[in-house]
């Protein structure tokens, strides 16, 4: 059940506790909290996180308007200490002119034409993974997918220079990412930087390792470039990027953007894949259509970048998994002077929140929202039932939309194509519970029995 927009000025919201506001309900289960705000109070709901005044908006047109106004009348939400330690002042953290310059410098390295060059690595890594699998074996799906997207991230970023450094880089990234998630979930996010918790110390140590390792890789790339060697990885593209004034990214900026692309892309894509396997496990028909499409289009060979466009059902599976389990489940921005939304003024300083989780599970835009139905995304279905723009926004939108959307969609589809041609990952019909941290992780281990297809 969903409510309709309350008239301006008469918004109702949940009761707030002194000092903490709605923090207890938010901290207990933020996903259920957002859904209950929408269902009980409508599409514009005031609530509070301690002293911070917020509003949750639940209409797609408001989401689109907000995303479009970030970096003009709205400001991105400040990211905390841990983000800055890890990502420095990379494109995710930067704001204003600094962000504009960095975005323009990073964007060309993840354009579709470049993603084509990374597709081979994606397929190779997925193929190497399944080559080690055997019929009947038990696997931890999320661990396998995390390992896979991590290898793909290191290799597409750093290419062959990463060969000897993959293990320390991956281990340090994993620690940093874990601590970032813990900081995001817990109260430490609100602590000042000088309070050094054990988690923050672990994060600091991991960042030191990353700084050292990435410095080596950058030097190796610079030497190769000076020797006239052409490279096809992301770091090489970042090295040759030039801003409007012809200036390159500095060493520190190269480090920041390398880590940003890694962190931005790896966990989001691995969770997408884990949830896709879970959803497919409980959906026999969708799975059969997938293997039918793969057999027909690929006939047993490995996919290429060009095959992506020939695999509409595989793409729809990814799109539907991103709908039901959007890895980034929360986006917020702070109103500046003169901000408006839906024609009404928004007071400066108010935090406006939109949630891909609750928007994607709203029956007004997606009938039977919890049902896994990749067919929702077929050309016929979308023509018959118009899904409003911004009702599906796993990659955000507007000027700060995800830079790696194409990269992620291609990676997820190619991995599905390589794996599903050979195996069904049978984790039964029961879905894991969700753990909303930095991304929407499975709370329980996703254990599956591998069932090899007849060849
Ligand atoms: C399924 C996978 C992915 C999802 C769901 C996802 C989601 C998002 C979302 C929602 C945002 C906007 C956040 C906001 O407005 O607050 C974002 C930004 C970003 N993403 Fe992704 N992402 C994914 C994969 C990737 C990949 C593979 C890369 C890099 C190769 C990447 C790089 C970035 C960067 C650099 C930004 C910041 C853009 C800016 O602030 O201008 N993402 N992503």
């Amino acid at each position: 059940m969903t409510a309709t927009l309350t008239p301006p000025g008469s918004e109702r919201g949940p009761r707030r506790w002194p000092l903490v506001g709605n923090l207890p309900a938010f901290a207990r289960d933020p996903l259920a909290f957002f859904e209950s705000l929408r269902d009980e109070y409508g599409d514009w709901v005031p609530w509070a996180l301690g002293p911070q005044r917020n509003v949750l908006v639940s209409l797609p047109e408001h989401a689109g308007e907000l995303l479009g106004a970030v970096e003009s009348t709205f400001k991105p939400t400040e990211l905390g200490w841990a983000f800055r330690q890890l990502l420095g002042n990379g494109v995710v953290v930067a704001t204003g002119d600094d962000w504009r310059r960095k975005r323009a410098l990073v964007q060309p390295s993840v354009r579709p034409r470049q993603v084509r060059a990374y597709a081979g690595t994606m397929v190779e890594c997925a193929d190497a993974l399944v080559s080690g699998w055997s019929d009947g074996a038990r696997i931890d799906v999320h661990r396998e997918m995390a390992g896979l997207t991590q290898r793909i991230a290191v290799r597409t970023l750093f290419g062959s220079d990463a060969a000897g450094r993959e293990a320390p880089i991956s281990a340090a990234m994993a620690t940093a990412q874990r601590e970032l998630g813990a900081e995001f979930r817990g109260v430490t996010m609100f602590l000042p930087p000088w309070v050094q918790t054990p988690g923050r110390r672990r994060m600091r140590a991991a960042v030191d390792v990353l700084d050292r390792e990435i410095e080596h890789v950058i030097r190796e790339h610079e030497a190769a470039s000076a020797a006239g060697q052409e490279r096809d990885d992301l770091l090489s593209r970042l090295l040759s990027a030039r801003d409007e004034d012809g200036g390159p990214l500095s060493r520190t900026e190269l480090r920041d953007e390398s880590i940003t692309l890694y962190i931005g892309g790896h966990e989001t894509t691995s969770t997408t894949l884990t949830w896709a396997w879970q959803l497919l496990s409980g959906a026999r028909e969708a799975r059969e259509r997938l293997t039918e499409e793969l057999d027909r289009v690929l006939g047993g060979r490995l996919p290429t970048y060009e095959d992506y466009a020939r695999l509409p059902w595989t793409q729809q599976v990814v799109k539907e998994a991103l709908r039901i389990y959007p890895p980034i489940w929360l986006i917020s921005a702070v109103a500046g002077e003169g901000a408006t939304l839906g024609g009404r003024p928004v007071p400066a300083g108010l935090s406006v929140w939109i949630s891909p989780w609750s928007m994607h599970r709203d029956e007004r835009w997606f009938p039977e929202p919890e049902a896994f139905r990749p067919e929702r995304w077929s050309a016929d279905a979308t023509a018959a039932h118009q899904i409003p723009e911004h009702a599906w926004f796993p990659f955000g939108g507007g000027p700060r939309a995800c830079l790696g959307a194409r990269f992620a969609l291609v990676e997820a589809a190619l991995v599905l194509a390589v794996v599903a041609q050979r195996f069904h990952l049978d984790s039964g019909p029961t879905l894991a519970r969700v753990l909303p941290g930095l991304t929407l992780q499975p709370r329980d281990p996703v254990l599956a029995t591998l069932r090899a297809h007849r060849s």
Side-chain angles (χ1 to χ4, degrees):
M1 248 284 288
T2 50
T4 49
L5 183 66
T6 46
S10 66
E11 300 89 11
R12 292 181 310 119
R15 192 172 147 219
R16 297 171 203 171
W17 297 98
L19 299 176
V20 291
N22 305 107
L23 181 63
F26 175 76
R28 199 175 321 118
D29 187 346
L31 303 173
F33 176 66
F34 282 152
E35 285 188 283
S36 75
L37 289 190
R38 180 201 60 204
D39 291 348
E40 289 172 34
Y41 304 104
D43 291 322
W44 181 286
V45 186
W47 63 287
L49 207 50
Q52 182 184 303
R53 295 278 171 265
N54 305 310
V55 62
L56 175 73
V57 299
S58 297
L59 284 181
E61 62 258 39
H62 288 166
E65 210 182 323
L66 177 74
L67 291 166
V70 176
E71 291 299 337
S72 56
T73 48
F74 285 86
K75 304 285 159 243
T77 299
E78 267 279 321
L79 297 168
W81 175 89
F83 281 88
R84 287 193 174 271
Q85 286 296 303
L86 185 58
L87 308 180
N89 203 24
V91 62
V92 166
V93 177
T95 57
D97 288 343
D98 185 31
W99 160 77
R100 257 179 282 280
R101 170 177 169 271
K102 285 176 176 159
R103 186 159 171 117
L105 281 160
V106 174
Q107 196 158 31
S109 63
V110 280
R111 284 213 178 105
R113 199 151 45 87
Q114 314 302 351
V115 173
R116 188 172 190 274
Y118 312 136
T121 305
M122 296 168 182
V123 169
E124 244 174 67
C125 291
D127 185 44
L129 177 72
V130 288
S131 298
W133 286 358
S134 54
D135 188 30
R138 292 280 282 168
I139 58 160
D140 178 328
V141 177
H142 195 44
R143 189 178 310 157
E144 298 286 334
M145 291 303 114
L148 173 61
T149 60
Q150 195 164 45
R151 276 190 294 283
I152 293 174
V154 174
R155 291 186 194 178
T156 50
L157 256 170
F158 303 130
S160 52
D161 283 347
R165 308 195 177 278
E166 203 167 310
I169 292 179
S170 296
M173 288 280 194
T175 305
Q177 199 147 8
R178 209 171 34 248
E179 296 306 333
L180 196 63
E183 176 107 355
F184 189 74
R185 270 194 304 278
V187 287
T188 47
M189 186 152 166
F190 301 101
L191 294 177
W194 48 265
V195 179
Q196 285 298 303
T197 60
R200 285 183 167 185
R201 274 195 284 275
R202 282 192 294 273
M203 158 76 95
R204 197 49 259 168
V207 169
D208 287 344
V209 173
L210 285 175
D211 286 349
R212 223 176 24 248
E213 294 295 332
I214 291 175
E215 173 76 18
H216 276 292
V217 181
I218 293 175
R219 278 181 200 280
E220 280 161 5
H221 270 66
E222 283 171 343
S225 152
Q229 291 168 17
E230 288 261 327
R231 299 276 173 94
D232 223 4
D233 51 58
L234 269 159
L235 179 58
S236 303
R237 295 185 204 290
L238 292 175
L239 267 164
S240 54
R242 294 292 176 269
D243 63 22
E244 278 178 343
D245 306 323
L249 286 158
S250 69
R251 259 299 158 74
T252 308
E253 288 173 336
L254 283 169
R255 171 259 178 232
D256 291 353
E257 300 311 342
S258 299
I259 297 185
T260 295
L261 291 175
Y262 181 99
I263 296 292
H266 139 64
E267 191 177 289
T268 44
T269 312
S270 65
T271 53
T272 304
L273 282 161
T274 299
W275 291 118
W277 292 122
Q278 271 259 278
L279 291 161
L280 282 168
S281 180
R284 190 195 181 103
E285 233 175 86
R287 216 167 55 230
E288 284 173 357
R289 273 187 81 167
L290 181 65
T291 40
E292 182 281 321
E293 177 174 91
L294 297 172
D295 287 348
R296 180 167 37 80
V297 176
L298 303 174
R301 69 173 167 80
L302 288 173
T304 63
Y305 179 76
E306 283 66 31
D307 292 317
Y308 177 74
R310 299 186 196 117
L311 299 170
W313 184 257
T314 313
Q315 288 185 40
Q316 284 170 231
V317 166
V318 173
K319 209 164 171 184
E320 181 71 346
L322 282 166
R323 182 187 68 79
I324 301 181
Y325 294 108
I328 305 292
W329 50 282
L330 188 63
I331 297 178
S332 66
V334 182
E337 292 302 328
T340 60
L341 219 45
R344 69 168 75 174
V346 182
L350 186 72
S351 277
V352 182
W353 298 53
I354 47 178
S355 167
W357 168 274
S358 57
M359 187 83 82
H360 291 183
R361 286 167 178 252
D362 189 325
E363 64 187 7
R364 288 173 294 182
W365 337 121
F366 302 103
E368 292 188 58
E370 288 180 21
F372 175 62
R373 289 203 194 126
E375 57 272 26
R376 287 180 207 275
W377 301 104
S378 72
D380 290 350
T382 49
H385 169 77
Q386 198 68 48
I387 299 170
E389 210 186 340
H390 296 111
W392 183 84
F393 63 112
F395 297 106
R400 294 202 70 137
C402 178
L403 273 173
R406 178 77 183 176
F407 188 112
L409 289 171
V410 169
E411 178 177 350
L414 292 182
V415 169
L416 278 184
V418 172
V419 177
Q421 275 192 97
R422 280 185 261 172
F423 289 100
H424 158 36
L425 277 52
D426 184 358
S427 57
T430 310
L431 294 163
R433 291 170 303 159
V434 284
L435 180 65
L438 194 57
T439 60
L440 210 57
Q441 300 279 310
R443 187 183 287 270
D444 316 303
V446 179
L447 301 173
T449 303
L450 296 172
R451 313 232 179 260
H453 298 309
R454 289 165 285 109
S455 49

